[in-house]
Amino acid sequence: VIWVYGICERPELPPPRRRGLAQAPLDGVREGDLLAVISRHVHAPGEPALDALWVHERVVERLMADRAVLPMRFGSKLPDDESLREALVANQESFVAALDRVRGRVELGVRAMATAAATPAADELLRASYLVERTAVPQFRSVVERLQRIHPEVAILCTGPWPPYSFVDSGEVRATEPVA
Amino acid sequence: MNDSPADKLLAAPLDLDPFARDLRRLDDALTGRIEADPENVERGLAQLVLTIVELLRQIVERQAIRRVEAGNLDEETVERLGRTLMALEARMGELKETFGLSDEDLNLDLGPLGRLL
């Protein structure tokens, strides 16, 4: 089974020299202008336990340190190299366009709930993901903090920076659809 | 590089309880559905809830430790944080028991860790 962490640009750069899930070494499958960063497994690894999630997340973040990456969601698996190459070829154009869209940017999550003092039920007011220039993250954060100060009746939670998982089209993600 | 999911918290309210409560509502709903149809247990989803509960627990814990260290918590808040943590711990235990942790159903599209956060 091939576990896919992300699809990135600059295929001439080798994958990071670190371990993936189940301590498997990372490998790259190159196709045209794209590199899929993967690990190979006899048995599909990774219950979505927190540790495993974090290994996946760290690999994607490491990749993002030196190039644009389309993060694959945890659980993206393919049966073999051939099907991976097929997916890369079939989606080459949309992957390249998506890479342009996310380059230099990160995802920030914002949730806002009405606090108990305001309403009997904890009502969700907002759940959103934002694609933000990496350099603008501190500014975004201070805006959230200011909003929180102005609106004590709302609890605002802001998380990140995440790889832009929410900004990779699900049709594209399906290219690496999980195998049973 | 961060060392823990808790470090993904960019900005958080003083009181994370609304989020913890929302989470409990979510897994209550899930448990209800599973009980209604025990032949069709969505184990992957259950595992996801487990993970999210654990992530939230870590975040709440980290927040609590930071605030206690900063010394800007009144006793009531410390107690409430403690109760939230204990409730999350207990819920984790129940969920683990209900679903088991040896889940082999890995066919899961988990998405950003932050989806529920």
Side-chain angles (χ1 to χ4, degrees):
Chain A
V1 177
I2 292 183
W3 185 280
V4 189
Y5 298 87
I7 293 166
C8 52
E9 60 181 1
R10 304 182 67 191
E12 72 282 4
L13 291 179
R17 297 180 60 170
R18 60 184 294 158
R19 299 279 166 173
L21 283 164
Q23 294 294 312
L26 297 181
D27 199 358
V29 172
R30 184 175 179 169
E31 192 61 58
D33 295 331
L34 301 170
L35 181 77
V37 172
I38 61 157
S39 54
R40 299 171 202 279
H41 304 267
V42 178
H43 303 290
E47 282 181 22
L50 206 51
D51 287 356
L53 282 171
W54 224 234
V55 170
H56 182 92
E57 169 75 12
R58 291 303 185 219
V59 170
V60 177
E61 287 183 7
R62 174 62 190 77
L63 275 173
M64 285 176 72
D66 45 30
R67 50 190 148 187
V69 180
L70 302 179
M72 292 294 111
R73 300 191 167 201
F74 186 94
S76 296
K77 302 188 281 288
L78 284 169
D80 51 37
D81 278 51
E82 198 191 336
S83 44
L84 176 56
R85 285 186 193 282
E86 278 171 15
L88 290 175
V89 169
N91 296 283
Q92 178 101 330
E93 250 176 66
S94 66
F95 283 155
V96 168
L99 283 165
D100 282 340
R101 196 166 64 236
V102 302
R103 187 174 298 107
R105 297 176 174 154
V106 293
E107 176 173 334
L108 299 181
V110 177
R111 285 190 71 199
M113 310 271 292
T115 56
T119 55
D123 287 330
E124 182 169 79
L125 305 172
L126 173 73
R127 176 186 302 207
S129 299
Y130 298 86
L131 189 63
V132 177
E133 296 287 335
R134 190 182 278 283
T135 51
V137 169
Q139 208 181 333
F140 191 99
R141 176 188 190 161
S142 61
V143 169
V144 170
E145 285 169 346
R146 199 169 72 228
L147 278 171
Q148 180 66 86
R149 278 197 302 275
I150 299 172
H151 295 286
E153 75 281 11
V154 174
I156 307 173
L157 191 62
C158 178
T159 59
W162 303 101
Y165 292 103
S166 302
F167 298 90
V168 174
D169 185 81
S170 59
E172 292 160 3
V173 174
R174 283 290 148 236
T176 54
E177 71 188 11
V179 289
Chain B
M1 281 287 154
N2 296 313
D3 294 312
S4 141
D7 294 324
K8 286 295 188 187
L9 211 57
L10 269 186
L14 225 52
D15 184 2
L16 278 162
D17 204 49
F19 297 95
R21 211 165 40 226
D22 183 51
L23 191 70
R24 286 198 289 274
R25 201 168 56 185
L26 173 81
D27 65 34
D28 284 350
L30 179 70
T31 308
R33 205 165 89 213
I34 286 167
E35 278 165 2
D37 186 7
E39 293 301 308
N40 187 23
V41 175
E42 293 193 39
R43 289 184 160 270
L45 198 51
Q47 185 70 54
L48 172 62
V49 171
L50 270 180
T51 301
I52 302 290
V53 170
E54 173 61 13
L55 180 58
L56 189 86
R57 193 189 62 75
Q58 286 191 13
I59 286 175
V60 171
E61 192 175 61
R62 176 68 62 96
Q63 280 292 97
I65 291 169
R66 271 187 199 149
R67 291 209 190 108
V68 169
E69 281 172 355
N72 59 2
L73 280 185
D74 57 52
E75 221 167 281
E76 193 194 327
T77 312
V78 172
E79 258 180 43
R80 199 175 53 231
L81 275 170
R83 280 198 301 275
T84 303
L85 275 175
M86 271 160 48
L88 286 171
E89 294 271 14
R91 193 64 194 130
M92 268 297 274
E94 288 166 28
L95 284 168
K96 279 180 182 168
E97 207 164 303
T98 308
F99 302 116
L101 276 178
S102 57
D103 180 12
E104 289 284 306
D105 181 8
L106 308 175
N107 202 354
L108 187 81
D109 190 15
L110 189 57
L113 299 167
R115 174 172 288 175
L116 283 163
L117 280 174

